[in-house]
Amino acid sequence: MAGVRDASCAAAAAGAQPTKRPQDPEPEEPLLLWASAPSLGDGSDSGLSDSEESVFSGLEDSGSDSSDDSAEGQDGASSGKSHDRTEKTTGKQAVGTPSPRTEALAELEDEYVEDSSDEEDVRNTVGNVPLQWYDDFPHVGYDLDGRRIYKPVRTRDELDQFLDKMDDPDYWRTVQDRTTGHDVRLTDEQVALVRRLQRGQFGDASFNPYEPAVDFFSGDLMIHPVTNRPADKRSFIPSLVEKEKVSRMVHAIKMGWIQPRRPQDATPSFYDLWAQEDPSAVLGRHKMHVPAPKLALPGHAESYNPPPEYLMSEEERLVWEQQEPGERKLSFLPRKFPSLRAVPAYGRFIHERFERCLDLYLCPRQRKMRVNVDPEDLIPRLPRPRDLQPFPTCQALVYRGHSDLVRCLSVSPGGQWLASGSDDGSVRLWEVATARCMRTVPVAGVVKSIAWNPHPTICLVAVAVEDKVLLLNPGLGDRLAVSSTDQLLDAFTPPEESALQPAHWLEASEEERPGGLRLCICHSKPVTQVTWHGRGDYMAVVLATQGHTQVLIHQLSRRRSQSPFRRSHGQVQRVAFHPIRPFLLVASQRSVRLYHLLRQELTKKLMPNCKWVSSLAVHPAGDNLICGSYDSKLVWFDLDLSTKPYRVLRHHKKALRAVAFHPRYPLFASGSDDGSVIVCHGMVYDDLLQNPLLVPVKVLRGHTLTRDLGVLDVAFHPTQPWVFSAGADGTVRLFT
């Protein structure tokens, strides 16, 4: 700031000596430096308001006055701000010969120019006062003559500041002086000083903080001591401070303010059991004491002269007499008497006193221990969803092509292909990565269920259409797997004696083989579901019929069909094979039964407590399963824990259509008629003492409701944390 002050002082000195300026021919013209602006009038500001003065000051400071421009010229522009400040402090004088007052002010200005003090800027004569006092005023203080020193007009917006920042190379070293309101350019020495202070260094660059220390005392034992001052007097006379403290304590004991400790009385204390129940008494301070309930105080209705509104009319009296004693609002009839002497004896006095004694004697009084529990503590501590990643969060692809609602879908074991079945009578095969329809197989009927063979070397898709199960070879992917599948089917030799079977196996004709059809299994009733065993040789189908033939099991290698049950236990909704053990899970409307296929016996019966079970899925580890129902519930079962649900989730607003587990990740999903797919984190621990962790992590939306139907089927990708959903709007959507 020293450089700025020197520049302003030099400009002021140049203005004070007009004869040294060669470009100005008239010597009287620089005297306008000491003349006031025309807008200030006669120098007294008593007749102007703050707003008017701010307007005038704005005209002067912005340089819009023509007289100032003509007076100062190009040379005066550099020191215009200091001249404007000086102009406002003098008042209006003649432009011609300077007066003695002007000469005295010029000498005073020269005195300030030569001043080398850096305590504050000489242009600001406000004094050492907080400048926040003048935040709401157009001026910043007063000069020596009592006139206001106005703030510089700042009409620059952020765009002007940005342009200055781009154009001015010294913008970064320009700061605002709070005492004057002007912009000051820092010198190189000042910038270096600021940077040293920001780095925590000393302000003086030549200061050495690590100078060698001078050892004033040596470590050698010397003859004479360093100091031989005699001991203080206070070290061998009694302390006056301690004497004063002891005297205060003795005085407090004498006055009874401090009680000495007395031995406690060992005699037992007794209290009266039937004493008045005063809270301050011993009985009232008893911890488990419950005071007897007090009788209610009499009201206006019990007065001998009650107000008229408390008296019953004839109809109200008849209604009161017909009511039961426990239903009556009052246990007596209010009556009016002319005086207290006319009040007869109360007929129920002894009866009511006896009931009061029975209440006190027989009423079990028990203190209810109220526990102050924070409601937030009752909510289980669940981890944050972002800590449970990965899981699908957004819609990535939409598979369009079906003209009617898509009821089912299935993913190939490698995760490269996707098969979907629709009500438009077609099965479409898609490439998962590009959403490209690779093939369309017309099946001439509504596709109720579709399942890709889980064995990686068998390329077959089972499609349930009306009363048939079609086995298609899609011809996609590995050509070796496609050819080996056809060789496996062609290597079958029919037995000599055909046994009686509940289903009929048919080979595809030569016209049907180019379309991908290889086998057709015909049933007597419509097929609602088809599912494969994990090894890929067996499949189970559910028929829409009554009786014990609702569930059939087909063996692909031997082309045999069998009915595993002898009697029915209700309408079967879904079936599923256990992924590890030889179990078959059969879900009816109200229960889920677990059958052992080798022992041919019922192992467990699970009760989901739902009105109608709609879907079923088994955890890849085999110890847990989930059920979806049409009453908007998702039920989680722990097979090792109980036959009742471990957890019931009610996150959907409408009926659940499908549930699915991920083969690798701890995820499960549910699709509902509300058009959403809810993905949950379901961690099953190897420790049998630790319960599964179920946390809803994401609600996925994208399907539009059609005919009050939303998501009809969901399936996970076998290797990636992706989920596919089939909707009633005719699309299949991939969420990643």
Side-chain angles (χ1 to χ4, degrees), residues 460-473:
L460 275 182
V461 178
V463 182
V465 182
E466 297 180 352
D467 61 346
K468 302 175 184 177
V469 174
L470 307 179
L471 296 181
L472 306 176
N473 188 347

Side-chain angles (χ1 to χ4, degrees), residues 130-158:
L131 294 182
Q132 291 84 357
W133 294 355
Y134 297 97
D135 284 346
D136 299 331
F137 295 97
H139 59 282
V140 77
Y142 300 89
D143 59 3
L144 296 177
D145 292 335
R147 294 182 180 86
R148 302 181 181 183
I149 300 176
Y150 289 95
K151 301 177 183 176
V153 177
R154 290 187 173 270
T155 59
R156 308 174 63 81
D157 54 2
E158 295 183 359

Side-chain angles (χ1 to χ4, degrees), residues 415-489:
Q416 186 180 1
W417 313 105
L418 173 69
S420 62
S422 171
D423 279 8
D424 58 3
S426 66
V427 173
R428 287 181 178 265
L429 302 171
W430 313 82
E431 188 177 15
V432 170
T434 60
R436 186 161 62 104
C437 182
M438 305 298 295
R439 196 170 180 185
T440 302
V441 181
V443 293
V446 175
V447 180
K448 291 294 185 69
S449 179
I450 190 169
W452 209 294
N453 194 307
H455 201 279
T457 61
I458 300 177
C459 188
L460 275 182
V461 178
V463 182
V465 182
E466 297 180 352
D467 61 346
K468 302 175 184 177
V469 174
L470 307 179
L471 296 181
L472 306 176
N473 188 347
L476 300 175
D478 190 5
R479 295 182 180 179
L480 185 61
V482 173
S483 59
S484 64
T485 302
D486 290 336
Q487 293 176 5
L488 176 66
L489 296 178

